[in-house]
Amino acid sequence: MGKRPRAVEGENLWDEITALKRERILGEAVELFYRKGYLPTSVDAVAERLGATKPFVYYHFKSKVDLLVEICERGTREALAVIAAAVALDLGPQEKLERLVRDFTAVVLDHHKLVAIYFREQLNLPEEAAARIAAMRRDIDHHLRALLAEGREAGVFRFDNLAVASLIVAGMVSYAFAWYRESFSVPREEIADTMVAHVLRSLGAEPLARVGAAQR
Amino acid sequence: MGKRPRAVEGENLWDEITALKRERILGEAVELFYRKGYLPTSVDAVAERLGATKPFVYYHFKSKVDLLVEICERGTREALAVIAAAVALDLGPQEKLERLVRDFTAVVLDHHKLVAIYFREQLNLPEEAAARIAAMRRDIDHHLRALLAEGREAGVFRFDNLAVASLIVAGMVSYAFAWYRESFSVPREEIADTMVAHVLRSLGAEPLARVGAAQR
């Protein structure tokens, strides 16, 4: 879809409208699943919030569970994308980790409701979707682990247990789903800076350029 | 209950049997809620796993939701207890934080299924139970925040944003619910050591006595 040349105006407009409709449906589903839970939310209720009908929703998503799958997959997919991009950079391990943590934090803050829904509704996912998400989570862990190992090898990071260290680092960032809200008083950029500083120090390194708040 | 003199044999035995029955009921409820979820699990199914009847369960827990409340409350209550005990110690901030992180980690590993159930089933908790648990979680945050502030004041810890720092530290430990399993290859004592080291370093301090694995 995104690969079609922008010049094909008509088709692109159609695609864009379809994408817009899907996004609006997903957005309302996120709000309802987040506030009420997946099981008690009906497709009717999602349609109602859009001023639309149930068939409108079903035209874009085959069933309620397809909404859940896309919601649960998206956060993990976007996290994996920014993490894979960061580790592929032609930079030293510390610079790569700074980028990784900054971008991963942005994804978790953006998608904190999706992450919360994923943790809540895992048992309601079809097996193959759950397996796909679990595989992406393992990929995230492998990338992080390889980068920590690379940094230790280079004498930049220090820690005792590679497996536990990478899980702890992933947890520092991921757990923001449990405390971050749009109303949170600290700006997102400052949260990301603080996250980078804590992760690097936890691995025995010092953050390089700081953009945000003053030290102490 | 625990305050009665042990000498009153008959009464103590009765109390102990009651406590044992409650614990066994809770244990089976945890397994079922964890594997299948709260809504699809019946009190019948809990009784069945015990080779008991539904009235047996209802004698000890008024309703299924009372089982959920106790499961969700227990992890938070025990975490708060060890955290309050650690900050009350007559030690320096670093020693107190080491104890806090070690004991808090032990509670999260012990109760990882309870924590997972809490995150999943929050919406199924009665309002007053949810409020009670939220208040305990705020107490945990206040204790942690006060200890970090004390350590910064003493020049032992350094970080930029107190609120975010304490949430990140709580997240490092709490998120273990998402990755720890009884089958995990690293011994619990080593996980706790690693957690202490990462938390302290993330605050710019170095862990003191290490019990576990060798450095690097």
Side-chain angles (χ1 to χ4, degrees), chain A residues 158 160 206 210 216, chain B residues 152 158 160 206 210 216:
Chain A
R158 68 201 157 87
D160 299 332
E206 268 305 309
R210 299 299 310 284
R216 298 200 52 181
Chain B
R152 183 160 71 173
R158 70 202 156 86
D160 299 332
E206 267 305 310
R210 299 300 309 282
R216 298 202 51 183

Side-chain angles (χ1 to χ4, degrees), chain B residues 178-190:
Chain B
W179 52 263
Y180 180 71
R181 298 294 176 266
E182 275 74 19
S183 58
F184 200 74
S185 58
V186 182
R188 296 158 49 100
E189 182 60 30
E190 193 178 331

Side-chain angles (χ1 to χ4, degrees), chain A residues 35-37 119-120 123 152 158 160-161 171-172 175 186 190 198 201-202 206 210 214-216, chain B residues 35 37 119-120 123 152 158 160-161 171-172 174-175 186 190 198 201-202 206 210 214-216:
Chain A
R35 288 211 326 260
K36 295 168 185 284
F119 276 114
R120 276 190 208 154
L123 295 175
R152 182 160 72 173
R158 68 201 157 87
D160 299 332
N161 186 302
M172 293 167 84
Y175 195 75
V186 182
E190 194 178 331
H198 281 254
R201 288 192 186 129
S202 84
E206 268 305 309
R210 299 299 310 284
Q215 291 287 103
R216 298 200 52 181
Chain B
R35 287 211 326 260
F119 277 114
R120 276 189 207 154
L123 296 175
R152 183 160 71 173
R158 70 202 156 86
D160 299 332
N161 186 301
M172 292 168 85
S174 306
Y175 195 74
V186 182
E190 193 178 331
H198 281 254
R201 288 191 187 130
S202 84
E206 267 305 310
R210 299 300 309 282
Q215 290 287 102
R216 298 202 51 183

Side-chain angles (χ1 to χ4, degrees), chain B residues 129-151:
Chain B
R132 214 160 51 231
I133 296 171
M136 288 192 283
R137 284 163 57 86
R138 276 196 301 277
D139 284 349
I140 288 175
D141 192 45
H142 289 159
H143 282 310
L144 195 49
R145 212 183 278 208
L147 181 53
L148 295 199
E150 183 190 330

